[in-house]
Amino acid sequence: MSAAGWAAVVAALAVAASLPYWLPRTVVALRVRIFARVNGEEGIAAPGRDVPAEEFKQVYGHPAADGRSRGAALSDLFWYWLSPGPEVHQEHLEPGPRYDDVARTTRQILAGPSRAEWTGLVARCTRQVLDELGGGERLSKVRLRDLMMPVWASVYYEVVFRSPCPREVRDLISGNADDVVSALKCTRLRHLDRRARLTAYLRERLAHDPPPVPLPALLTERERAYYLQGTFFNTAVVQMSEATAHLLLALATHREIQENLASAGPGYLDRVIDETLQHFPLFGVAHRITTGEIPRDGRPAIPPGSVLLFNYPEYQRSGTAGAERFDPDRWLSRDTRPTASIPFGIAANRPCPARGFAVLTMRVAAEEVLRRFRLESSAEHTRSLPSRGPCLLIPRSDTGSPRLRLAAMRLADHWANVPRSLTQLVLGTYMVWDARRQGLCRTYFATAPGGSSPSVVGSR
């Protein structure tokens, strides 16, 4: 081979070897531009040029920032991802009697277990899933989100129905939740047949053995099944699985913090949870549609019909010294803890219903895992967690170092970003286009202004 030929081969190999360092970021930037082009430039970013960080809470908490889906093209995409039944999902109901009825029912269901009952329930469900790994007797490589999803599927089933969750139903709930979150992250297309199997089970269960807390009276029989599926067996399971996966992965990638747990005293794990939720907030961008004018001092009023895009990660990074550093001790003092921290939203505008016990239950689940295993991971930790959190669970009795396994994990995770980012670009672009084509939200409000039409329910 000529010198020029060898030079070409070397250059090609260099480009190939560098792919993980630049291709995923390039593809993400391209995907964002495509999404914006397909959806249109309709939103007002907060924080951003028009709504600075210091006005974030004021605007978010204004009574006129209460529209949820109607009138925003972006809603078509979220309804598409959350089907079936997005029209009765608690986060997508417009303000009014139906939303009030649904929100009241959710609060009543979640208020059922006492603090001690929550603790015992989460501990028992976590132990059951860990027992299926072999009781902590051998090293296991897991995906943390996959590990935690059956835990929270069992927990929320029992919270709703006040009876233990059968294994086959746990699998239905986990399959539904995994399908929704994978579509949201654009790593896989939707599989509505998988979601429909859970809907069918819930309709059958409600017909013969309904939960002790009466379900919303203003919903139809079918809508009540969709309400449970969307609020508890989709959002609650997904959010708590992601939150716990982020916590465990943070511990696995910060070995000194994990080691400090044994001697740091009570409250340290809660501070680790606070720091995890600060770095990896569960909400990305929450959109709200203004139903009236929002006046502001020294700035133009935000007119009715505006789409406000509240960016949680961007807001929580603002005004925090050393925001890039993972430091649980920043939560020890009011002087050092972040002022821009809203892990569960704000009280004035649909805060997370689980805010009162999320930290408690995350702590209990983590303690059960840490009682059996030490955690090790060399995977990249990002807020979106498209990798589902690769991690080694090492039995406490095993004192060896898994250096070779960690090196292999680092290499595999590094290169997995390349095909995954391309998959997200292709599938994400298709789903944005398909959501706009189907127009689930627009069709619903166009055909049934009163919000009772079943015309889009179950649409594919």
Side-chain angles (χ1 to χ4, degrees):
M1 184 182 296
S2 67
W6 279 112
V9 170
V10 171
L13 291 174
V15 170
S18 69
L19 284 176
Y21 297 96
W22 60 269
L23 183 61
R25 288 194 298 271
T26 303
V27 170
V28 167
L30 178 60
R31 193 170 85 242
V32 169
R33 292 180 63 182
I34 292 173
F35 283 16
R37 186 172 181 83
V38 173
N39 274 308
E41 299 289 348
E42 60 169 291
I44 298 174
R49 181 190 60 193
D50 298 313
V51 181
E54 56 268 23
E55 290 186 3
F56 185 96
K57 285 187 177 180
Q58 172 192 342
V59 173
Y60 201 169
H62 194 279
D66 63 345
R68 192 55 185 97
S69 288
R70 187 173 193 168
L74 187 62
S75 300
D76 283 329
L77 182 57
F78 282 98
W79 280 42
Y80 177 89
W81 276 330
L82 293 174
S83 291
E87 73 279 7
V88 295
H89 193 290
Q90 185 164 328
E91 262 296 286
H92 288 270
L93 279 168
E94 294 300 306
R98 276 160 63 92
Y99 170 74
D100 294 339
D101 194 12
V102 163
R104 182 170 51 251
T105 302
T106 300
R107 290 193 299 270
Q108 290 172 344
I109 291 173
L110 294 176
S114 66
R115 185 180 180 87
E117 288 171 333
W118 270 111
T119 299
L121 172 60
V122 174
R124 172 165 47 83
C125 292
T126 306
R127 287 195 298 268
Q128 181 178 355
V129 170
L130 294 179
D131 286 343
E132 295 168 9
L133 293 176
E137 299 164 0
R138 63 180 186 274
L139 182 148
S140 302
K141 181 180 178 181
V142 300
R143 303 277 176 170
L144 289 170
R145 194 185 81 200
D146 298 348
L147 176 69
M148 298 313 302
M149 202 162 270
V151 172
W152 296 109
S154 298
V155 167
Y156 280 102
Y157 180 94
E158 194 158 336
V159 168
V160 170
F161 290 109
R162 302 296 193 264
S163 62
C165 183
R167 175 62 184 268
E168 64 273 13
V169 180
R170 190 188 83 178
D171 292 344
L172 281 178
I173 296 170
S174 296
N176 169 82
D178 177 67
D179 191 68
V180 171
V181 71
S182 296
L184 280 164
K185 296 178 190 297
C186 304
T187 58
R188 192 168 61 217
L189 290 174
R190 305 178 307 162
H191 296 85
L192 288 196
D193 54 342
R194 183 178 302 172
R195 305 183 191 189
R197 287 194 288 272
L198 177 58
T199 307
Y201 168 81
L202 290 172
R203 293 192 67 179
E204 178 72 14
R205 173 72 196 253
L206 294 180
H208 297 95
D209 189 13
V213 174
L215 297 183
L218 296 180
L219 301 185
T220 66
E221 178 184 334
R222 176 169 52 183
E223 288 173 334
R224 290 172 188 164
Y226 288 149
Y227 156 68
L228 290 180
Q229 184 165 351
T231 301
F232 291 96
F233 305 132
N234 169 3
T235 299
V237 172
V238 166
Q239 295 286 56
M240 290 305 297
S241 299
E242 290 258 309
T244 315
H246 276 302
L247 171 61
L248 296 175
L249 190 57
L251 291 169
T253 53
H254 295 82
R255 190 178 308 173
E256 70 287 354
I257 291 176
Q258 186 178 168
E259 292 171 352
N260 287 343
L261 288 172
S263 58
Y268 186 70
L269 183 53
D270 284 355
R271 296 198 297 275
V272 176
I273 293 172
D274 289 336
E275 185 72 351
T276 299
L277 294 175
Q278 186 70 12
H279 279 261
F280 311 104
L282 298 179
F283 303 103
V285 176
H287 77 281
R288 298 288 187 268
I289 302 96
T290 56
T291 55
E293 184 177 89
I294 300 180
R296 297 183 295 167
D297 294 336
R299 291 182 180 274
I302 298 173
S306 300
V307 180
L308 295 164
L309 302 175
F310 294 103
N311 189 319
Y312 278 63
E314 188 67 26
Y315 175 65
Q316 293 199 163
R317 282 193 294 266
S318 67
T320 302
E324 72 289 344
R325 188 176 68 254
F326 194 91
D327 180 15
D329 287 340
R330 76 170 85 239
W331 298 88
L332 279 170
S333 166
R334 291 184 179 274
D335 296 330
T336 58
R337 68 179 56 182
T339 55
S341 182
I342 51 169
F344 304 108
I346 63 173
N349 197 334
R350 302 196 185 190
C352 175
R355 64 193 183 280
F357 52 84
V359 171
L360 165 68
T361 52
M362 287 172 64
R363 184 206 314 143
V364 171
E367 287 173 341
E368 289 295 330
V369 175
L370 293 167
R371 189 170 290 119
R372 302 190 190 195
F373 303 102
R374 57 188 174 93
L375 313 177
E376 296 274 5
S377 179
S378 56
E380 183 182 14
H381 192 175
T382 63
R383 193 202 70 81
S384 61
L385 205 66
S387 65
R388 311 194 315 278
C391 185
L392 299 179
L393 303 184
I394 304 171
R396 287 290 175 184
S397 58
D398 185 343
T399 59
S401 174
R403 290 181 181 177
L404 291 178
R405 295 287 298 269
L406 289 172
M409 177 188 290
R410 183 181 299 109
L411 184 63
D413 182 65
H414 204 53
W415 279 97
N417 276 331
V418 175
R420 183 166 55 233
S421 62
L422 294 172
T423 297
Q424 288 178 298
L425 173 65
V426 174
L427 299 187
T429 301
Y430 169 77
M431 287 190 283
V432 170
W433 170 82
D434 197 29
R436 291 299 302 275
R437 180 183 66 84
Q438 293 197 34
L440 301 182
C441 179
R442 283 174 291 138
T443 302
Y444 177 79
F445 284 108
T447 59
S452 59
S453 170
S455 60
V456 302
V457 173
S459 173
R460 292 174 179 263

